[in-house]
Amino acid sequence: MKKGPESRACMLAAPGSLVESDPDTNSSNGTSAREEDILPSPRELENVPVKTSTETSRKKLCGYLNKLGIKGPIKTWKSRWFFYDENKCRLLYYRTAQDINPLGSIDLSSASFDCKMENGEGVFEIRTPSRAFTLKAISKQAMMYWLQQLQMRRWEFCNTQSRFPVGSSQLVNEPLAGRTNVVDNEDFLPLVKTPTEAVGLKAASLPAPQTSTALQNISLKHPWTEIQNTVYNICGSKQLWGSNGNVFSFDEFQEHPENVDEEQEAEGAVKEGTLEDGRMGPRLNWIRKARWMNSGFPGSEELLREKNSVDKVSVLQQQILTLTEEVKSQKELVKLLHKALEAAQQEKRVSNMYLTATEDKDRLELVRHKVRQIADLTSRLEALEQEKKELEQILTLRDSHIQELKEHVQLLMEKNHAKQEVIMTLTEQMARELSDPLQEANTITVETLYKQQEEIEHLKDDIDAYKTQNQFLNSEIHQVTRLWTSVAENEKALLMKCACLQARNCQMESKYLTVLRKLQEAVPGLPSSHAELVKNLIQEALQWDVKEEAEEGFNLNPVSEYDEYGFMTVPDYEIEDWKLLAKIQALEIKSNKLRSQEIVEKPLRDRWNSIGELNPCAELKSLIRSGIPVEHRQRVWRWMVSRHCSPAPGHYQWLLEQSRSTEHPACRQIELDLPRTLTNNKHFSSPTSQLIPRLRRVLLAFSWHNPAIGYCQGLNRLAAVALLVLEDEESAFWCLVYIVENLMPADYYSETLITSQVDQRVFKDFLSEKLPRLMAHFEQYYIDVSLITFNWFLVAFVDSLVSDILLRVWDAFLYEGTKVIFRYALAIFKYNEEEILRIHDSVEIYQYLRFFTRMITDGRKLMNIAFNDLNPFPMKLLRNRRSMHREELEAELCELQQIKAAYVKERAEQGPQDLEEVVSEEEEES
């Protein structure tokens, strides 16, 4: 079989099955852009009558077919409206039958057809020299009809081309005249019956086949054409947009002429030429618009036939809904087109990079990048499939849930129906009773009425009695409440009075014991009878037991033997004079606690209870200075340590392993200091105490953690206090690290203790400035206060102050630093300044300074002196004084080193004879 004058072979079933590699593209069909601009739409050509010598009209070949499109690994069928152009022997395809511009065309003049059965029912191929198109009809009959009609019409076109020269006006005006006899003369195949439901003009009026997704049928390769067709369909339905109401800048929409005259006018306009921008003239567009207004939009003829205004309104509303849905779909289309445009631009950039790459290495890298992109897309596809499965499972669960809800609703409806039946029955019964009131009245006898009235009277009497009883009970409850409130207030007042009385009693006992102490000091000057009496009174005072007194009478706050952290409230001094002093001290502490319990401690504890998360602020600083309650101290200390010292996980355990495997040089000194640590605390007083091994491990771990210091006497007391409060070994270790490495200056615990000596000189300067009278008194009697205060600074007042005041000092010390130690050291001397000034003997002053810190029992007063009376106390001044005295001390130490070196050199220059004389003299002395 021949294709035309060129005698090219055309097979109905060509070997091989080719598939379209790029869907909906018209780049390879040989049609120029100007020709596409004036291509007639399917609706124009369907109504153009064919003038032949044998018939006045001829059926147009058009209908819906599915076209296979391929985008990468994805293959999809897209529904397209195909229309055969007899003038050019091309098969044009549109998205819908109502579109004005084609998406592309297939040149049939040099194409071959293939209809392999293994491809599936209704599937056939059209191969052109440049590409292959895979199409699918709705049935095998429709496929055979399309193949036969395309072959026949191509024969006609080829024969006509051989008979008329290309570009002849006769070919334009009568394209198919006298061509039908060619097919009639050749009995190639019996004519297939036309499937009216799939091809022809009737198929155009039917809705387009629906795809699985709303946007699957849209062509992403022809965004401009899709937008023009969509806008044309929307604007054509409104019919009154005006000649230039187009947002896409093409003058008018292309429409089909209504009859033959209109078609001739349109063809004349096409033949004469287009406008300068390649679009049709206004006259042709107005003709087509008129035709579209008359018959283009589906449902317009029904709208004109409707005479009832209500029906017209409903039809218009339906059209509005249809247009609204179309606008939504077009918005989605625009979004997809934007994405497709971005992807195409990215693809173009990558291709340009590949083409411009000069070396194979660069191209190979681009190929690898593409392979990675493919792998990424594959993984994303798998993830989407997995998500699809999960969504299907969720959908199944929701369907089951909906089914359960439906069953539940059905059950409720049945219940409701049953209730309605009961209501209806009761309503009918009540209606029957109301319809015959005389009969109802006759059923109730006079006796029954009398009994009911009597029962009602009794019930009224009972109600009145209950009301009276309720009023009486309410009155009693009110009176009892008032009595309870009054008793509670009286009890609180009595407790306050009792506390005050006990405080006064403690003060009186303290004064009594103080008098006994004074008498004890004056015993050598008293007669023997008086001395014996004083001694007996002192013995009785020392044997007095607080617990026995608590059993005899009411005691609000008895003085226990140990406080919350295990410190002895009454120190066990061996000297009789000091034992009496300890008893006085215990009574003073009890008196201060009783006086401050309700006035100070309770409001302070309420403020601490109201604090949630800890954040540095002025209020928190004030609360910490006032003292942290026992129940909050551990939490606050942990927070203060963690702010400046971040514990390394596992570091403490590693240090313990190190100490077990290798003995540290400081291990012997640590063992010697353990029994001397906090002897006034029950947790460290015995070698078998539980905290002794834990303290040993903490000190050994620190000696390995800080080899520069190792161990220094005094660190055992710091670690012991941290263990008592924090309870955890590792927390106590990090607290010790925080104090030594963050709070204290460098070299504070070194072998030379140079910074500790510097602080003593700085403290003397502050003492001269803040307490000049006391410093002058010390200088008068040659008192060196550093002998007393050196240990205060080294261990932060441990073993110097009573436990309650000591822990308050540590609260502020951990939050503010070493400045607090200077403040409290000055406050201690200020607290006892008058007592010290009354002593005029250096030995007695030294004796008093040894234990005078233990006589400080009023922690509130000491805190006010430290933070209020001694202000201002700038940290900058402290740093400057330290720097100045450090330079002086280093100069002095350097001078001593020079003197020592000179002495050693002088001794070395002495001969052996001098050394023998020295030895002989020593032997004679011994």
Side-chain angles (χ1 to χ4, degrees), residues 28 33 75 121 124 265 415 454 579 607 877:
S28 62
K75 299 179 180 180
E121 183 179 359
F124 62 97
E265 292 178 8
K415 289 183 179 179
E454 188 176 358
K579 288 183 178 180
R607 290 179 64 187
L877 177 62

Side-chain angles (χ1 to χ4, degrees), residues 604-732:
L604 182 63
R605 186 172 283 103
D606 293 339
R607 290 179 64 187
W608 274 104
N609 293 333
S610 64
I611 294 179
E613 185 178 357
L614 296 173
N615 291 307
C617 60
E619 181 184 4
L620 181 63
K621 183 178 180 180
S622 175
L623 287 175
I624 291 175
R625 286 181 173 183
S626 300
I628 305 173
V630 177
E631 59 269 21
H632 296 282
R633 179 168 282 130
Q634 185 180 111
R635 175 174 69 98
V636 178
W637 279 28
R638 290 179 188 272
W639 173 76
M640 289 189 291
V641 172
S642 63
R643 280 182 61 217
H644 302 90
C645 185
S646 300
H651 181 64
Y652 179 71
Q653 300 300 327
W654 180 82
L655 294 174
L656 293 182
E657 292 294 332
Q658 184 76 7
S659 63
R660 293 191 193 101
S661 60
T662 307
E663 183 177 354
H664 197 274
C667 182
R668 183 172 177 275
Q669 186 62 44
I670 292 173
E671 293 297 331
L672 291 176
D673 288 345
L674 286 177
R676 298 196 288 257
T677 304
L678 300 185
T679 55
N680 63 336
N681 190 287
K682 65 179 180 180
H683 298 296
F684 296 96
S685 59
S686 172
T688 58
S689 299
Q690 296 180 354
L691 292 186
I692 292 292
R694 299 167 68 181
L695 178 61
R696 179 187 294 109
R697 289 193 291 270
V698 170
L699 294 175
L700 287 173
F702 181 82
S703 64
W704 284 106
H705 171 77
N706 194 332
I709 297 176
Y711 174 74
C712 175
Q713 287 184 339
L715 296 181
N716 56 328
R717 300 177 187 178
L718 299 178
V721 174
L723 267 175
L724 289 174
V725 176
L726 299 175
E727 299 179 358
D728 179 58
E729 275 185 49
E730 187 170 358
S731 300

Side-chain angles (χ1 to χ4, degrees), residues 130 237 321 381 387 425 468 500 518 531 560 628 709 766 772 844 859:
S130 58
S237 64
L321 294 175
L381 180 61
E387 185 178 358
T425 304
T468 305
C500 293
K518 295 292 183 181
S560 59
I628 305 173
I709 297 176
F766 286 138
E844 290 184 6

